[in-house]
Amino acid sequence: MEKALTIAGSDSGGGAGIQADLKTFQELKVFGMSALTAVTAQNTLGVQGVFPMEAEVVAEQIQSVGEDIGVDALKTGMLFNAEIIETVAEKIKRFAWDKVVVDPVMIAKGGAPLLQQEAVSALKNHLLPLCFVITPNIPEAEVLTRMTIHSPDDKKEAARRIHALGAKNIVIKGGHDVNTNEAVDLLFNGADFEFFSVPRIETKNTHGTGCTFSAAITAQLAKVYLYMTRYL
Ligand SMILES: Nc1ncnc2c1ncn2[C@@H]1O[C@H](COP(=O)(O)OP(=O)(O)OP(=O)(O)O)[C@@H](O)[C@H]1O
Ligand SMILES: Cc1ncc(COP(=O)(O)O)c(N)n1
């Protein structure tokens, strides 16, 4: 069975974070493992508390899993601060993992910060160059590129800028684009653009959609051979 690791925060409500990732791994039939970066107290009303782990605690979890069980693909979610980001980047390099999915979680849907503002440059400098796929939502893509995104052309320009930061494949997710009756994601692999659209589901229950999405990509990446991923 292929093995997938999530390096992310715990959501006590079970809709996002580590919990969403492990459920998704299970659904897609890969063996799920986790390295916890933070414990959050959350429910359907919002985030009541954020308790980050020491970077050393994150490092040890990754080390234990990496040196014994093995990792076919991994994703990162909530990383909270620059020290944790740098620790995660070091471990990815140390184990030479290449099927790396970065979900650049910044702010919870309810508005609570899940990444310190000063950690954005650490994310750009240390993690983006190591990732095979990055999956920002529109506000996250705006922060990473320092531009505003209103149109499909803006999404393309943002994807080009994120590619220039070192990410190999970029998916800008359309969940936040509430002015359209479709949810439109854009994939850019450095050469070609592809839009994926589905009719927008009218619901407020979208907590954890991005976590689930990036976990699904990670699970599927865990199952493919590297020579295939090179040409994706
Ligand atoms: N209402 C919706 N109907 C259909 N698809 C949706 C809807 N909302 C989001 N999606 C899809 O779900 C995936 C996740 O996108 P989204 O933009 O919601 O991520 P996100 O904001 O990072 O999520 P979160 O922060 O809640 O984890 C994308 O493929 C997006 O197109
Ligand atoms: C631990 C953790 N990770 C990620 C999210 C983002 O999900 P959302 O934007 O739906 O709140 C979250 N709320 N909590």
Side-chain angles (χ1 to χ4, degrees):
M1 199 175 194
E2 284 79 15
K3 291 156 282 186
L5 169 67
T6 170
I7 305 172
S10 165
D11 169 7
S12 56
I18 292 269
Q19 288 79 359
D21 296 341
L22 291 175
K23 290 173 194 176
T24 306
F25 291 162
Q26 185 83 5
E27 285 291 318
L28 295 175
K29 299 188 168 44
V30 298
F31 181 73
M33 302 170 292
S34 61
L36 219 63
T37 58
V39 173
T40 71
Q42 288 191 61
N43 56 23
T44 61
L45 304 175
V47 180
Q48 289 82 40
V50 174
F51 307 91
M53 298 285 133
E54 293 295 329
E56 188 192 341
V57 177
V58 180
E60 276 207 37
Q61 296 173 78
I62 301 172
Q63 183 68 29
S64 295
V65 165
E67 70 186 11
D68 174 39
I69 306 169
V71 173
D72 292 304
L74 71 89
K75 68 154 278 187
T76 66
M78 172 187 180
L79 296 173
F80 194 68
N81 62 33
E83 216 187 331
I84 294 178
I85 291 171
E86 285 169 31
T87 301
V88 170
E90 266 168 40
K91 288 293 175 196
I92 291 171
K93 283 193 269 185
R94 145 89 177 71
F95 286 104
W97 286 322
D98 48 11
K99 292 180 192 169
V100 175
V101 179
V102 172
D103 181 5
V105 172
M106 293 181 187
I107 297 172
K109 285 242 163 72
L114 301 178
L115 179 74
Q116 292 179 338
Q117 263 175 19
E118 58 273 24
V120 172
S121 58
L123 191 71
K124 282 169 138 176
N125 297 333
H126 297 285
L127 212 49
L128 259 67
L130 302 177
C131 82
F132 183 69
V133 187
I134 186 166
T135 61
N137 60 27
I138 290 173
E140 289 157 356
E142 290 180 331
V143 170
L144 292 173
T145 58
R146 297 183 186 196
M147 62 177 279
T148 51
I149 299 173
H150 296 299
S151 65
D153 278 344
D154 292 341
K155 273 191 196 168
K156 285 184 171 180
E157 176 55 23
R160 275 192 209 98
R161 291 190 192 186
I162 297 171
H163 188 263
L165 293 170
K168 293 183 187 63
N169 297 281
I170 297 96
V171 182
I172 300 187
K173 298 170 293 188
H176 290 248
D177 208 355
V178 286
N179 298 326
T180 67
N181 50 14
E182 291 187 314
V184 185
D185 298 348
L186 170 66
L187 169 67
F188 180 53
N189 64 4
D192 301 310
F193 292 99
E194 193 169 348
F195 284 99
F196 297 88
S197 60
V198 292
R200 177 173 293 281
I201 299 162
E202 279 315 318
T203 176
K204 288 199 166 112
N205 301 326
T206 57
H207 175 59
T209 47
C211 303
T212 305
F213 181 72
S214 56
I217 294 174
T218 308
Q220 303 298 30
L221 269 182
K223 299 178 204 169
V224 296
Y225 292 112
L226 189 60
Y227 76 86
M228 290 170 70
T229 60
R230 263 195 215 129
Y231 298 99
L232 282 177

